[in-house]
């Protein structure tokens, strides 16, 4: 929103330029011009002056040239009339429509662009706003996304502990089971597969940029205030109260910040959850989201007694045999395109049946195509049924795969994203490969 001062200055400029035009500017190119709106930048360095003319586009273009060449004269005159320390630079713009709604829309979109409102990497809301909402309510539902990963499990458990330490009543919920390698986390057996029938004062959704990624939630009247804590790239954070920070490595790191706002310190169990959340989402402190802040929080967890090897033993070194047998079937499906810049693997229902593995066991398979020298984008197709494929993307860094996934109604992070596509395998591959090729060529 423009400040009151910005608005006032814009109005003054509007009035004075209109008056100047009434008196007549010398330039013959300037036709019958009406100023339709003025917008001033927050630092008052620049003003967009929208105008309309009679006589169609050709006249408008000539007028625009005339106005722009008169701009410094207009600025000098206004400098004397308006008692301002600094007069903005004027940029005249032809207002193609007299339709007010359309004009306002355009002015708003200029402001949004200039202020970075549509930048999906922007922080929205704050740890403090969420902390206040957590204090305010009593009975909470806490949930993460379906097919939970380490971050989704560990941060739901971590938030549960935080709320319990504030003497709140908490139900932890996810219809999908906890993956075997995160079952060691304290409280993992407390996650319910349904939210129950009792109403909640608030529902906290973590690690989801869209509500469609969670399991079925209670009806709106039953779920209370919706609170979102997320770190995906998005312009539309979820919840009436939210903290959306795409710069955070993981929800665990964000919880640590929220705890700071609440004046709470981690205990050993909470440190296990927060450490595991960061470990999982940074790919064991390898990905580009491994920031100094993430390392500091992890260091704090170690200081409280968390053992990196004990956690690694659970998370990485306790693979069920079925997972390795499944991997043995998946790797022969590897395809790399002729240019060597993208590669894909396929996981079918039949492979699950043959090996007895479940879908939560394929986490990390996609790192095999991504790890190939020269491959910039790795793709994994997982068959849901004959006409539905779950697609995962990983990028080596140059290509933003969240943008590719977004084209198919999915999303995620710049380097890890996903979506679903309908069609048989060939159709799914065709759609996905051409989108990836387009991204690689851009
Ligand atoms: P994965 O490939 O491990 O399932 O997901 C990688 C990333 O992409 C995760 O951060 C996840 O949140 C996001 N993601 C995966 N599938 C979808 C999807 O269908 N929709 C959206 N919006 N994000 C997804
Ligand atoms: Mn996450």
């Amino acid at each position: 929103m423009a400040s009151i001062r910005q608005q006032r200055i814009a109005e003054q400029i509007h009035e004075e330029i209109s008056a100047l035009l009434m008196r007549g500017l010398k330039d013959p190119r300037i036709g019958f011009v009406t100023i339709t709106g003025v917008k001033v930048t927050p630092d008052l360095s620049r003003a967009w002056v929208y105008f309309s003319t009679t006589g169609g586009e050709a006249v408008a273009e000539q007028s625009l040239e005339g106005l722009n060449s008169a701009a410094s004269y207009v600025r000098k005159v206004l400098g004397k009339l308006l008692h301002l320390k600094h007069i903005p630079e004027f940029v005249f713009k032809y207002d193609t429509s007299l339709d007010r709604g359309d004009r306002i829309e355009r002015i708003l979109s200029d402001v949004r662009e200039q202020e970075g409102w549509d930048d999906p990497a922007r922080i929205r809301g704050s740890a403090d706003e969420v902390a206040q909402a957590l204090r305010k309510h009593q009975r909470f539902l806490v949930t993460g996304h379906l097919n939970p990963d380490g971050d989704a499990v560990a941060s739901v458990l971590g938030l549960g502990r935080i709320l319990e330490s504030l003497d709140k009543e908490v139900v932890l919920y996810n219809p999908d089971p906890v993956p075997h390698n995160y079952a060691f986390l304290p409280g993992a057996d407390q996650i319910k597969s349904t939210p129950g029938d009792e109403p909640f004062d608030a529902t906290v959704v973590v690690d989801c940029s869209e509500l469609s990624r969670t399991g079925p939630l209670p009806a709106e009247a039953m779920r209370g205030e919706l609170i979102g804590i997320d770190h995906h790239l998005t312009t539309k954070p979820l919840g009436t109260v939210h903290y959306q920070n795409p710069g955070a490595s993981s929800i665990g790191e964000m919880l640590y910040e929220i705890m700071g706002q609440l004046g709470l310190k981690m205990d050993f169990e909470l440190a296990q959850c927060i450490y595991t959340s960061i470990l999982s989402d940074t790919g064991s402190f390898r990905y580009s989201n491994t920031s100094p802040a993430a390392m500091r929080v992890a260091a704090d967890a170690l200081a409280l007694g968390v053992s990196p090897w004990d956690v690694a033993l659970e998370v990485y070194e306790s693979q069920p045999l079925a997972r390795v047998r499944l991997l043995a079937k998946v790797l022969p499906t590897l395809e790399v395109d002729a240019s060597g810049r993208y590669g894909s693997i396929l996981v079918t229902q039949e492979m699950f049946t043959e090996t007895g593995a479940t879908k939560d066991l394929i986490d990390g398979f996609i790192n095999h195509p991504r790890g190939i020298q020269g491959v910039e984008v790795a793709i994994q197709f997982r068959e849901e049924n004959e006409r539905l494929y779950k697609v995962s993307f990983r990028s080596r860094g140059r290509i933003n795969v969240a943008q590719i996934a977004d084209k198919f109604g999915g999303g995620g992070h710049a380097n890890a994203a996903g979506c679903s596509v309908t069609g048989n395998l060939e159709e799914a591959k065709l759609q996905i490969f051409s989108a990836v090729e387009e991204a690689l060529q851009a």
Side-chain angles (χ1 to χ4, degrees):
M1 278 298 283
S3 67
I4 292 183
R5 180 169 159 75
Q6 257 172 284
Q7 285 173 21
R8 225 190 42 234
I9 291 172
E11 278 165 23
Q12 285 179 335
I13 292 171
H14 193 149
E15 264 175 42
E16 295 300 344
I17 297 186
S18 298
L20 206 56
L21 283 165
M22 290 287 280
R23 292 200 293 275
L25 284 172
K26 273 198 207 106
D27 197 305
R29 288 172 295 184
I30 302 173
F32 187 72
V33 165
T34 312
I35 304 301
T36 57
V38 175
K39 193 184 60 141
V40 181
T41 56
D43 62 357
L44 311 181
S45 67
R46 192 173 298 174
W48 279 271
V49 181
Y50 292 88
F51 71 94
S52 67
T53 63
T54 51
E57 285 226 1
V59 175
E61 256 172 48
Q62 280 194 356
S63 296
L64 180 60
E65 283 174 19
L67 284 168
N68 277 332
S69 67
S72 63
Y73 168 73
V74 172
R75 190 160 180 248
K76 216 181 298 165
V77 175
L78 260 65
K80 289 187 191 138
L81 293 172
L82 307 175
H83 301 281
L84 287 178
K85 242 191 265 156
H86 179 81
I87 296 289
E89 299 277 349
F90 294 126
V91 181
F92 288 93
K93 286 197 167 180
Y94 175 44
D95 195 340
T96 49
S97 149
L98 285 171
D99 171 24
R100 195 176 151 73
D102 188 54
R103 196 172 73 234
I104 289 171
E105 193 79 2
R106 196 142 20 87
I107 292 173
L108 278 177
S109 100
D110 275 350
V111 175
R112 290 179 75 86
E113 194 184 318
Q114 191 204 344
E115 296 191 349
W117 276 94
D118 296 324
D119 178 359
R122 184 188 169 111
I123 295 178
R124 287 153 218 265
S126 65
D128 183 37
E129 282 164 58
V130 168
Q132 285 181 31
L134 298 184
R135 274 208 189 287
K136 190 169 83 184
H137 298 293
Q138 186 53 37
R139 187 162 195 275
F140 288 86
L141 179 66
V142 176
T143 192
H145 53 81
L146 292 170
N147 292 327
D149 58 4
D151 190 26
V153 174
S155 62
V156 161
L157 294 174
L159 181 54
R161 297 193 92 81
I162 291 171
L163 287 167
E164 274 164 10
S165 75
L166 295 170
D167 289 325
K168 308 291 181 180
E169 206 185 316
V170 193
V171 174
L172 308 180
Y173 157 64
N174 199 317
D176 283 339
V178 171
H180 73 97
N181 53 337
Y182 297 109
F184 75 99
L185 285 168
D189 55 349
Q190 305 291 309
I191 300 179
K192 307 265 193 302
S193 59
T194 64
D197 302 325
E198 298 286 311
F200 295 96
D201 302 323
T203 291
V204 193
V205 174
V206 302
D207 208 23
C208 295
S209 54
E210 289 158 37
L211 266 196
S212 61
R213 303 214 66 223
T214 70
L217 293 184
E220 252 173 73
M222 301 281 280
R223 72 167 82 123
E225 183 163 47
L226 190 63
I227 302 170
I229 306 173
D230 184 36
H231 66 138
H232 293 92
L233 292 170
T234 182
T235 51
K236 289 196 198 84
L238 176 160
T240 47
V241 176
H242 49 254
Y243 179 29
Q244 177 82 30
N245 183 0
S249 64
S250 55
I251 305 302
E253 186 188 327
M254 295 175 74
L255 290 182
Y256 186 88
E257 204 184 334
I258 292 167
M259 287 180 72
Q261 294 292 334
L262 288 165
L264 297 174
K265 294 246 178 296
M266 293 193 289
D267 58 10
F268 173 75
E269 280 80 17
L270 198 49
Q272 288 268 89
C273 295
I274 287 183
Y275 176 84
T276 305
S277 152
I278 299 171
L279 178 80
S280 164
D281 261 22
T282 58
S284 317
F285 305 102
R286 281 178 301 160
Y287 301 153
S288 55
N289 60 355
T290 311
S291 62
M295 286 291 209
R296 275 189 207 105
V297 179
D300 244 19
L302 297 198
L304 282 163
V306 171
S307 152
W309 177 240
D310 286 350
V311 174
L313 273 177
E314 300 284 354
V315 177
Y316 303 113
E317 310 281 340
S318 305
Q319 300 187 52
L321 183 58
R323 175 183 143 94
V324 183
R325 293 218 195 282
L326 180 64
L327 180 63
K329 293 196 183 284
V330 170
L331 284 180
T333 69
L334 175 73
E335 278 180 57
V336 178
D337 85 300
S339 73
R341 297 204 293 167
Y342 66 93
S344 70
I345 51 170
L346 167 69
V347 191
T348 64
Q349 287 297 337
E350 195 183 5
M351 294 175 189
F352 285 124
T353 316
E354 285 171 354
T355 56
T358 43
K359 67 181 178 188
D360 61 297
L361 293 181
I362 68 174
D363 197 34
F365 282 10
I366 193 169
N367 295 343
H368 290 282
R370 189 191 49 200
I372 299 168
Q373 191 176 38
V375 165
E376 295 200 53
V377 177
I379 308 155
Q380 171 180 281
F381 296 92
R382 177 169 63 75
E383 182 189 31
E384 291 269 15
N385 62 50
E386 268 172 37
R387 298 201 51 82
L388 181 64
Y389 286 83
K390 174 80 204 164
V391 187
S392 294
F393 299 95
R394 296 291 184 274
S395 167
R396 184 176 286 273
R398 188 177 74 84
I399 306 292
N400 181 341
V401 287
Q403 278 172 7
I404 303 177
D406 183 59
K407 290 188 179 155
F408 298 92
H413 310 272
N415 291 332
C419 63
S420 297
V421 284
T422 48
N424 63 29
L425 180 60
E426 230 158 89
E427 289 159 353
K429 279 187 175 173
L430 204 66
Q431 294 176 63
I432 297 292
F433 290 168
S434 67
V436 169
E437 277 175 24
E438 201 181 302
L440 284 165
Q441 273 154 23

